[in-house]
Amino acid sequence: MNEPDNTGQQPPAKTYVHIFARWCIRPLVNTPVTPNHLTTLRLLTGLAAAAAFAAGDYFWTFSGGVLFLISAILDRADGELARLSGRMSKGGHWYDLYCDMIVNAAIFIGMGIGLGQSGAIPGYWGPIMGLVAGLSVGAIFQVVFRLHEIGSHPGIAFKYPDGFDMDDSLFVVVIFAWFDALLILLIMAVIVAPLFLILAIWRLHTLQKSTRG
């Protein structure tokens, strides 16, 4: 996720993935390619990854992992292009956040459908589990939106370490996809995502109280 910056300066890359993404997009700085172009490409590759996961066989699961890796790097690249080219905007920042929400929720829904299609999870449990995980992720983003609105940031609210971004945890999707272990990942997501949502709501409530106080 990218923070708007109106200082006109180029802040250092926040994480190791941002450093890599910055290196990738440097040739684009003085071209007609805009940050929103990369955000749109991130959205399309992310939705394509979700559709690949929904197919339910290993070829498409592996392909979905590749697509999601590209999508995740593009998620960092759009903000880096905005910073280096001086084209940061509030509208672009929110477009990026909403695309993040859509892709990350769709990924788990696609997983659930695919696992149900393959018979890895009996009955409708695959789609149901995917929906629970996906909607929980979407709800977490609603909390993140509110954090941005009150002038905070997930890195501040949840105090994760320097060199790491909350979205970096989603790179595990690629690993689980390539090792054909999405069932394990989905089970983990069904447990962890709702619990993290509860933590996020509590943390937001705490920050709002301190702000009002």
Side-chain angles (χ1 to χ4, degrees):
M1 299 175 192
N2 308 316
E3 287 183 274
D5 185 350
N6 299 319
T7 63
Q9 300 176 347
Q10 295 176 1
K14 296 187 296 182
T15 72
Y16 302 113
V17 181
H18 284 92
I19 291 171
F20 175 74
R22 180 171 291 195
W23 176 79
C24 290
I25 57 84
R26 280 191 183 278
L28 301 177
V29 170
N30 295 314
T31 71
V33 177
T34 69
N36 283 350
H37 288 152
L38 296 187
T39 304
T40 301
L41 188 57
R42 181 277 199 280
L43 174 64
L44 295 176
T45 52
L47 292 176
F53 288 153
D57 65 68
Y58 181 66
F59 171 81
W60 286 110
T61 297
F62 185 91
S63 300
V66 174
L67 287 166
F68 187 75
L69 177 62
I70 295 169
S71 182
I73 293 172
L74 285 168
D75 182 34
R76 309 305 190 275
D78 56 3
E80 293 307 311
L81 180 59
R83 292 182 180 91
L84 294 185
S85 62
R87 288 182 284 186
M88 300 197 74
S89 69
K90 186 174 181 179
H93 170 64
W94 283 101
Y95 179 46
D96 180 27
L97 287 175
Y98 275 100
C99 286
D100 286 350
M101 179 184 69
I102 292 168
V103 168
N104 293 334
I107 283 295
F108 289 104
I109 294 172
M111 274 183 214
I113 294 171
L115 289 167
Q117 294 264 48
S118 69
I121 301 176
Y124 293 100
W125 281 107
I128 290 171
M129 290 171 66
L131 198 60
V132 169
L135 291 179
S136 296
V137 169
I140 290 168
F141 269 92
Q142 295 298 317
V143 176
V144 169
F145 296 164
R146 182 57 186 153
L147 287 171
H148 283 274
E149 287 172 356
I150 66 174
S152 186
H153 184 273
I156 299 170
F158 302 111
K159 297 181 174 63
Y160 44 75
D162 293 338
F164 179 80
D165 190 281
M166 186 167 64
D167 284 351
D168 290 344
S169 60
L170 288 170
F171 278 97
V172 300
V173 170
V174 179
I175 298 170
F176 278 87
W178 288 350
F179 283 93
D180 199 20
L182 290 183
L183 175 58
I184 297 172
L185 179 60
L186 184 59
I187 292 171
M188 292 168 57
V190 167
I191 297 169
V192 173
L195 291 176
F196 190 83
L197 174 59
I198 294 169
L199 172 63
I201 293 171
W202 171 80
R203 189 67 183 126
L204 173 62
H205 177 68
T206 302
L207 287 172
Q208 287 178 320
K209 282 181 63 177
S210 65
T211 302
R212 288 194 296 266

